[in-house]
Amino acid sequence: MESLLSDSATPLLTTPLNALHIELGARMVPFAGYSMPVQYPAGLMAEHHHTRNAAGLFDVSHMGQLRLVGADAAAAFESLMPVDVIDLPVGKQRYGLLLNEEGGILDDLMFIRREADIFVVVNGACKAADIAHIQARIGSRCEVIPMPEMALLALQGPQAVTALSRLAPGVEKLVFMTGGHFTVHTGAQDIAVFLTRSGYTGEDGFEISVHSRDADALARALLAQPEVKPIGLGARNSLRLEAGLCLYGNDIDTTTNPVEANLLWAMQKVRRAGGAREGGFPGAAKILAALAHPDANARKRVGLVALERVPVRDHTPLQDLNGQTIGEVTSGLLGPTVDKPIAIGYVPASMAALGTRVNAIVRGKPVLMEITSMPFTPNRYYRG
């Protein structure tokens, strides 16, 4: 999701798990205005592989949580995004995109319909602007209630359900992109949480909203499970890149729209041309026109794999085989699971076909890359 670092002149905020991170030996860095763990003593590679093979616990409490309350909340929220909110059933979660009037992406987010409200999670670096935007645009139609008192933990990996269901029986019945209220039994106390079966790593897992006063006890109870280890921001980034998921601020921002970002799966048919609730969102005319003539789009987000073992980092220029600059890598690293250099970037739509070869210019030398499908590793979400 987000990538923006803190202004060094601004004092850093801390999450409710700050003391635990330090106790565990984390290396702390500025991130989205917070002091956050980038890695623990085991290191990024070990943390990445542990999450792929067992279960990793992430502190994502810097992210913004809010509630939209009122009979008109779904229709109001839908007016901000090219997404079907009105028809989303209770208990179901969806990915959404806040847009500006040019169709640029202000932020990406997750939301779930609950019995009494819509629960929204936005990126930490964007949360103040997001909440102000939502309040300004739909605050007269529904209550927009920030939830700064809540922490957010993510438990990800193929053994996450084993570890969590031991403490919170019933979570194993959830499927991908659903959620509900549960009680976590730590042995010393019962902790009320709201959780969804979703995540950012491509693995099965859960995101757990918990009151800040209970966050430390919840994290310690999860870390006491034999499958679970703490994971920092470094591995979070390599996991999400292998999953082919966008990092806000790198792969998408206010200069990109959902069509060129190749996020058409996030725009349901009901909001597209000919749909029952066509358009009506910011930038609709531009985005629907781009959808109608996809070959005319200037650029497209693609996956890239280097054909030699040279890592290709963020902001590396991309050239065609004739030496003309055609785009840029927006995220790139040596994928720990795939064990080869992978990247996300933008190229002209006319060059976005799978198998097309381009050069990344690394320290002045061309590195041959091939456009490939994403994700780079198969997603392992639990769909029942």
Side-chain angles (χ1 to χ4, degrees):
M1 293 205 175
E2 82 273 53
S3 69
L4 301 178
L5 297 180
S6 172
D7 180 345
S8 60
T10 303
L12 294 175
L13 302 171
T14 57
T15 75
L17 298 183
N18 187 65
L20 178 59
H21 297 317
I22 294 170
E23 178 183 325
L24 294 172
R27 183 161 71 85
M28 307 297 286
V29 298
F31 184 81
Y34 285 77
S35 178
M36 297 292 289
V38 67
Q39 67 179 56
Y40 296 86
L44 186 157
M45 293 290 284
E47 293 173 22
H48 180 109
H49 289 305
H50 183 82
T51 305
R52 286 270 182 256
N53 296 318
L57 181 65
F58 302 77
D59 179 10
V60 284
S61 300
H62 64 297
M63 299 182 76
Q65 302 179 61
L66 59 148
R67 300 169 59 218
L68 306 178
V69 182
D72 196 32
F77 197 38
E78 185 173 284
S79 72
L80 304 181
M81 305 189 294
V83 176
D84 178 5
V85 182
I86 292 174
D87 297 330
L88 188 66
V90 170
K92 298 287 188 181
Q93 189 179 37
R94 184 160 279 164
Y95 176 78
L97 297 162
L98 282 180
L99 301 180
N100 62 26
E101 296 300 331
E102 298 301 314
I105 301 171
L106 294 171
D107 198 7
D108 60 347
L109 54 83
M110 299 286 277
F111 65 97
I112 184 167
R113 186 81 166 261
R114 304 195 296 195
E115 291 285 354
D117 59 19
I118 297 172
F119 174 55
V120 185
V121 177
V122 301
N123 284 309
C126 304
K127 63 183 177 183
D130 287 351
I131 291 170
H133 173 77
I134 294 169
Q135 286 179 323
R137 296 294 295 264
I138 64 172
S140 62
R141 298 176 62 182
C142 63
E143 289 185 82
V144 180
I145 306 173
M147 304 168 69
E149 74 281 10
M150 302 300 288
L152 192 67
L153 281 62
L155 185 67
Q156 298 281 299
Q159 297 179 31
V161 66
T162 302
L164 185 58
S165 63
R166 198 178 292 131
L167 303 176
V171 298
E172 70 280 2
K173 297 176 183 175
L174 294 174
V175 297
F176 182 56
M177 298 296 270
T178 66
H181 293 276
F182 287 86
T183 300
V184 177
H185 307 283
T186 69
Q189 67 183 107
D190 290 345
I191 300 174
V193 303
F194 182 83
L195 59 84
T196 57
R197 196 164 189 171
S198 59
Y200 192 42
T201 60
E203 300 293 334
D204 182 23
F206 301 86
E207 296 199 320
I208 309 167
S209 178
V210 60
H211 198 285
S212 295
R213 64 172 176 256
D214 296 325
D216 185 86
L218 174 60
R220 290 178 189 274
L222 291 169
L223 289 170
Q225 304 308 305
E227 302 88 354
V228 182
K229 291 185 177 179
I231 310 297
L233 293 170
R236 182 172 178 248
N237 186 50
S238 58
L239 289 158
R240 75 88 197 168
L241 181 48
E242 286 187 338
L245 298 174
C246 290
L247 181 67
Y248 190 83
N250 275 42
D251 308 308
I252 51 175
D253 58 28
T254 56
T255 70
T256 56
N257 69 52
V259 179
E260 59 193 353
N262 208 10
L263 294 172
L264 300 184
W265 55 270
M267 301 172 59
Q268 288 74 41
K269 290 182 179 178
V270 71
R271 306 305 312 282
R272 300 187 187 191
R277 298 193 302 280
E278 170 186 340
F281 50 83
K286 183 175 181 178
I287 290 173
L288 294 181
L291 267 173
H293 303 286
D295 293 339
N297 289 301
R299 59 177 182 161
K300 185 177 180 181
R301 185 176 67 91
V302 296
L304 297 147
V305 174
L307 302 184
E308 53 187 298
R309 198 174 174 81
V310 177
V312 179
R313 307 295 184 186
D314 309 357
H315 307 302
T316 299
L318 294 171
Q319 294 183 351
D320 64 19
L321 300 186
N322 295 318
Q324 297 297 310
T325 299
I326 57 169
E328 182 182 86
V329 167
T330 49
S331 295
L333 47 70
L334 180 65
T337 303
V338 299
D339 195 28
K340 54 189 173 184
I342 57 173
I344 293 174
Y346 283 84
V347 300
S350 60
M351 298 186 64
L354 299 182
T356 302
R357 294 188 172 186
V358 301
N359 281 320
I361 307 303
V362 179
R363 294 187 292 277
K365 297 181 179 178
V367 174
L368 192 61
M369 304 192 84
E370 187 169 281
I371 292 172
T372 187
S373 59
M374 294 185 282
F376 298 99
T377 55
N379 291 333
R380 297 194 289 186
Y381 305 128
Y382 178 69
R383 299 183 186 276

